[in-house]
């Protein structure tokens, strides 16, 4: 089964449970130069679209567009939606930084949203009027710029954003697992019987 279809279906189910039952969840191609075009296919903004450019580009990793407000803008809710959209396990993400309200004008200048954080991130959620747009980078970054090239979406432009990073498996776990493997290999090579 196509994992993109599965992720989209699961995210749509979660959004339906969150109160935005008419939302469409779409995996959106990101061009090599970072250009992204999103289309609103559900009411009230049906037929609207926007073309944006993300720098640095997430190519070849798709963006995820939710064309209706997913309900709560709570960081946990948005993080859960990103986990579902990208097929991550629950609690795989940690909130890095956020600008949760429309008073985030310091990072928004006209049609450009600039984010620079001290904490590296590899996921970004941007709320645009009545929709949500997620990006994922293959390796963590500390800054990104999202430029609105054309905006025909209902509900306005950028209003808030959140960054997330994947929770790494602690280094101690790798050491412990490699030590167990070494002990098993040593036992096998020495000819000692394994306990029953």
């Amino acid at each position: 089964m196509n994992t993109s279809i599965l992720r989209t279906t699961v995210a749509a189910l979660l959004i339906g449970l969150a109160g935005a039952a008419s939302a469409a969840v779409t995996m959106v191609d990101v061009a090599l130069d970072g250009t992204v075009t999103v289309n609103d296919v559900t009411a009230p903004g049906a037929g609207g679209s926007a073309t944006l450019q993300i720098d640095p580009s997430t190519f070849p990793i798709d963006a995820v567009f939710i064309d209706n407000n997913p309900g709560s803008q709570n960081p946990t809710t948005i993080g859960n939606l990103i986990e579902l959209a990208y097929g991550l396990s629950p609690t795989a993400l940690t909130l890095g930084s956020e600008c949760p309200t429309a008073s985030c004008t310091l990072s928004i200048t006209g049609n450009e949203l600039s984010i620079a954080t001290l904490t590296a991130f590899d996921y970004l959620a941007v709320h645009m009027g009545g929709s949500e747009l997620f990006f994922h980078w293959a390796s963590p970054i500390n800054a990104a710029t999202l430029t609105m090239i054309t905006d025909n979406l209902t509900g306005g432009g950028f209003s808030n954003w959140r960054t997330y990073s994947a929770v790494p498996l602690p280094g101690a776990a790798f050491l412990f697992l490699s030590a167990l493997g070494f002990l098993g290999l040593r036992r096998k090579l020495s000819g000692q019987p394994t306990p029953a």
Side-chain angles (χ1 to χ4, degrees), residues 31-195:
L32 185 59
D33 69 353
T35 303
V36 179
T37 299
V38 297
N39 296 298
D40 189 345
V41 296
T42 61
S49 66
T51 301
L52 307 104
Q53 187 167 31
I54 187 75
D55 183 32
S57 177
T58 63
F59 178 84
I61 302 172
D62 290 341
V64 175
F65 179 66
I66 302 171
D67 73 353
N68 205 342
N69 197 336
S72 172
Q73 288 295 302
N74 175 306
T76 302
T77 302
I78 299 299
N80 291 341
L81 290 172
I82 293 172
E83 289 165 347
L84 280 170
Y86 286 103
L88 304 171
S89 63
T91 69
L93 297 178
T94 299
L95 178 67
S97 53
E98 66 177 323
C99 193
T101 65
S103 66
C104 298
T105 54
L106 294 177
S107 60
I108 301 171
T109 307
N111 64 342
E112 190 171 278
L113 169 65
S114 297
I115 299 168
T117 65
L118 296 175
T119 307
F121 60 92
D122 38 12
Y123 294 88
L124 170 65
V126 177
H127 190 73
M128 303 182 313
S131 57
E132 199 75 34
L133 184 59
F134 302 148
F135 293 98
H136 169 51
W137 287 266
S139 56
I141 61 172
N142 286 81
T145 301
L146 185 60
T147 305
M148 186 80 71
I149 298 169
T150 62
D151 181 10
N152 296 315
L153 294 174
T154 302
F158 308 125
S159 61
N160 62 64
W161 55 266
R162 291 167 179 80
T163 63
Y164 296 85
S165 58
V167 177
L169 189 58
F174 288 116
L175 290 174
F176 179 71
L177 292 174
S178 61
L180 284 178
F182 175 74
L183 289 174
L185 180 63
R186 192 175 105 188
R187 175 173 276 172
K188 184 173 183 159
L189 292 176
S190 69
Q192 293 179 2
T194 40

